[in-house]
Amino acid sequence: MNELEYRLNTELMRKKKILNIVKVFVIIFFIMFVYLFFEYIKLKNQLALVIVFFSFMISVVFGIMYKNSTMKYIKNSIIEYIIREIFEKKSVKYIQNGIPKKVFDDSRMYGGYNQYYSSDGLKMENDNFYIANVTAIEKDENNKKSVFVGIFGYLQTEEFYSEPIVIKPDVENKYISNLKNSKNKIIGNSTDVVRLENNEFEKYFEVYAKNQIEARQIVTVEYMENLLELKKQMNTLIKIIYIGNKKYVAIWNERIIDEKSIYKKGINLAEIKKRIENIIKVFEEC
């Protein structure tokens, strides 16, 4: 545990103790409010009821604001650590509002959503690299469905792709081994599927492109091995699209900073660093 990690964990533990005290007061004031509410019905003691109600509300608001300020301080400290330790001398800035919706739309990564949220963006000043937390939701009067929740971003490429090359997770695991059955996947009548020579890769990913030669130039043996290894380490779904002069990546269920986990388990900077490095590798080494 380095000095920063020790300091942040110490600060987190100290403030969690204060928040626990606040929670006790909230419970006490709530019980008093319920008791006085029924007493008010009998005795009409309105002043006491109002005082306890406002004490309860003030305690709740204070607790929420105190927790938010604590997590903001810790998150900013971790962001500074990530920029310093991982990106080193590269010019990277933190963008609280994340990545614009237009960038997500331009990627053609996912459609069918009507609510979009993004936060905690990390962007190189030359615009070569940009990642952020993204949540895309399809919501109507009766249902709410997550279209995508995770980390999304792009890396500028030297090549220009007029037609998209898509590497998507084979979530339905449609692969049938060549030893068992046939020469390709059960994917309907699609003519855009790129058949590859790595059976294990095709168990987890599907590749689509109108230009088969261009796709094979990207998805090399080394590329497939690297992506497979990262997929196993991260244990999540990864989707990649090459279009225009950008490589877009969507990694499900990842966050730049997982505040809930940090608040619950504490801060492990080595673990955070390793996780962010793996995310960057999906952009740079695959």
Side-chain angles (χ1 to χ4, degrees), residues 114-126:
N114 49 26
Q115 293 186 1
Y116 177 87
Y117 310 95
S118 185
S119 64
D120 295 343
L122 294 173
K123 181 181 182 182
M124 288 188 181
E125 291 186 357
N126 58 10

Side-chain angles (χ1 to χ4, degrees), residues 194-258:
V194 180
R195 293 191 290 270
L196 301 164
E197 290 71 39
N198 188 321
N199 291 352
E200 187 179 7
F201 183 84
E202 291 203 319
K203 288 179 182 178
Y204 299 103
F205 294 98
E206 297 176 328
V207 181
Y208 294 92
K210 291 187 180 300
N211 189 328
Q212 298 260 331
I213 296 173
E214 197 171 50
R216 290 176 181 276
Q217 288 173 343
I218 292 173
V219 189
T220 62
V221 172
E222 183 181 7
Y223 184 106
M224 289 187 281
E225 289 175 352
N226 289 343
L227 186 54
L228 268 175
E229 180 60 28
L230 287 167
K231 189 255 184 301
K232 290 175 182 177
Q233 287 187 33
M234 300 171 77
N235 192 29
T236 191
L237 300 177
I238 301 170
K239 184 175 180 180
I240 300 170
I241 296 179
Y242 295 84
I243 187 167
N245 65 339
K246 289 185 175 69
K247 172 186 179 179
Y248 295 98
V249 175
I251 306 174
W252 274 83
N253 301 322
E254 282 285 357
R255 311 298 285 171
I256 303 295
I257 304 294
D258 189 343

Side-chain angles (χ1 to χ4, degrees), residues 68-247:
N68 289 344
S69 66
T70 298
M71 294 313 298
K72 183 178 180 181
Y73 165 74
I74 289 172
K75 184 169 73 173
N76 288 343
S77 299
I78 295 173
I79 290 290
E80 289 175 6
Y81 169 82
I82 289 170
I83 291 173
R84 182 176 68 251
E85 294 295 321
I86 297 177
F87 293 98
E88 297 175 345
K89 295 181 180 180
K90 297 175 183 176
S91 298
V92 174
K93 58 182 179 180
Y94 171 64
I95 300 174
Q96 185 177 354
N97 294 331
I99 205 162
K101 178 178 178 293
K102 185 180 184 304
V103 177
F104 193 72
D105 290 338
D106 290 346
S107 73
R108 307 186 197 178
M109 189 66 72
Y110 294 102
Y113 62 91
N114 49 26
Q115 293 186 1
Y116 177 87
Y117 310 95
S118 185
S119 64
D120 295 343
L122 294 173
K123 181 181 182 182
M124 288 188 181
E125 291 186 357
N126 58 10
D127 202 31
N128 281 347
F129 176 81
Y130 197 168
I131 61 173
N133 300 329
V134 166
T135 300
I137 296 171
E138 179 187 4
K139 185 178 181 181
D140 57 30
E141 293 180 358
N142 302 315
N143 299 300
K144 181 178 179 181
K145 182 178 75 173
S146 294
V147 175
F148 174 72
V149 178
I151 286 179
F152 165 79
Y154 66 76
L155 179 73
Q156 294 272 11
T157 60
E158 294 180 0
E159 296 80 10
F160 185 89
Y161 304 97
S162 56
E163 294 288 347
I165 298 169
V166 181
I167 304 163
K168 71 173 191 172
D170 189 356
V171 292
E172 297 177 5
N173 201 16
K174 296 175 181 175
Y175 180 82
I176 294 180
S177 170
N178 290 334
L179 295 174
K180 284 186 179 180
N181 189 9
S182 62
K183 299 176 181 178
N184 56 27
K185 291 181 167 186
I186 303 173
I187 54 165
N189 298 317
S190 174
T191 58
D192 295 340
V193 63
V194 180
R195 293 191 290 270
L196 301 164
E197 290 71 39
N198 188 321
N199 291 352
E200 187 179 7
F201 183 84
E202 291 203 319
K203 288 179 182 178
Y204 299 103
F205 294 98
E206 297 176 328
V207 181
Y208 294 92
K210 291 187 180 300
N211 189 328
Q212 298 260 331
I213 296 173
E214 197 171 50
R216 290 176 181 276
Q217 288 173 343
I218 292 173
V219 189
T220 62
V221 172
E222 183 181 7
Y223 184 106
M224 289 187 281
E225 289 175 352
N226 289 343
L227 186 54
L228 268 175
E229 180 60 28
L230 287 167
K231 189 255 184 301
K232 290 175 182 177
Q233 287 187 33
M234 300 171 77
N235 192 29
T236 191
L237 300 177
I238 301 170
K239 184 175 180 180
I240 300 170
I241 296 179
Y242 295 84
I243 187 167
N245 65 339
K246 289 185 175 69
K247 172 186 179 179

